Amino acid sequence: MQAQPSLWQRSREAAYAEIARVAMELFLEQGFEQTTIDQIVAEAGISRRSFFRYFGTKEDVVLGDLAGQGELVREALEAVPDEVEPWDALRLAMQAVDALQIQPGVTLKIATMMYRTPSLRSRSIEKHLHWQALLVPEIRRRLAVGDDDPAPEAIVATAIACLDVAGERWVSGGGVGDLSVLYDRAVAGVRSGS
């Protein structure tokens, strides 16, 4: 039986969720760059110091889960049977943690904000590099290649780039379509060389 989170942990998680909710409402209403940390803390009823206890940057409010999601993708990838080839194993791992899923409405607004705000794009790329560092060892193991072989890094970096391109295409298409289909098309294009 798993231990229940302590009262302190539950309080911290509730505060984190409330600050994130308030900030996201302001971002979606006013725009990311137009929203200040001072506005967020005033609306949430907290101090700047409290804000920075929960978030390192304003960008982390939007992208905070992205780093944690990388850990989940790594765990899902390690659970995929070894006989599944690397590209398919990566897709299954991303699918297992809903990285290829979208929620109409709010997801489009958030994704549009992310793809159109330079500081968010930059932080997103940084977090995807974290994903790459997490996933490469498992792909290297599956390929049974040494540390000097660039193939694992190339496969993981390309799969993540395909996910990013699919997200950008989905946003530019007004949120119409299936993100997983766009991802599969991007991967197929890379793998076929056309």
Side-chain angles (χ1 to χ4, degrees), residues 25-191:
E25 285 177 3
L26 289 169
F27 295 154
L28 294 173
E29 180 183 312
Q30 302 176 166
F32 181 82
E33 292 174 328
Q34 293 74 26
T35 302
T36 66
I37 291 174
D38 288 335
Q39 288 174 313
I40 295 168
V41 300
E43 189 74 24
I46 60 170
S47 67
R48 282 179 67 86
R49 185 174 173 188
S50 292
F51 176 87
F52 287 113
R53 271 191 225 130
Y54 294 95
F55 301 98
T57 65
K58 190 169 78 166
E59 288 79 8
D60 287 339
V61 175
V62 179
L63 300 170
D65 266 358
L66 196 56
Q69 197 177 32
E71 295 285 347
L72 297 175
V73 174
R74 181 187 53 75
E75 290 171 12
L77 178 61
E78 290 171 352
V80 174
D82 283 350
E83 58 272 8
V84 177
E85 64 94 18
W87 286 98
D88 291 337
L90 284 164
R91 187 195 193 290
L92 288 170
M94 286 190 274
Q95 188 174 21
V97 299
D98 294 333
L100 299 175
Q101 299 300 315
I102 51 175
Q103 298 171 348
V106 173
T107 300
L108 177 59
K109 291 176 185 174
I110 293 169
T112 300
M113 180 175 54
M114 188 192 78
Y115 284 109
R116 303 225 169 105
T117 306
S119 64
L120 286 172
R121 286 293 283 147
S122 176
R123 277 299 268 167
S124 173
I125 291 167
E126 183 181 314
K127 294 203 181 223
H128 278 153
L129 288 173
H130 176 69
W131 278 33
Q132 186 174 331
L134 291 171
L135 303 177
V136 164
E138 176 62 13
I139 296 302
R140 184 172 302 287
R141 186 192 68 76
R142 287 170 179 270
L143 293 174
V145 296
D147 289 342
D148 60 334
D149 191 322
E153 285 93 342
I155 290 169
V156 172
T158 304
I160 292 169
C162 287
L163 179 61
D164 195 46
V165 167
E168 200 162 359
R169 284 283 115 224
W170 183 77
V171 166
S172 67
V176 177
D178 186 332
L179 184 62
S180 63
V181 170
L182 292 170
Y183 172 80
D184 290 340
R185 282 189 192 153
V187 169
V190 168
R191 294 187 73 188

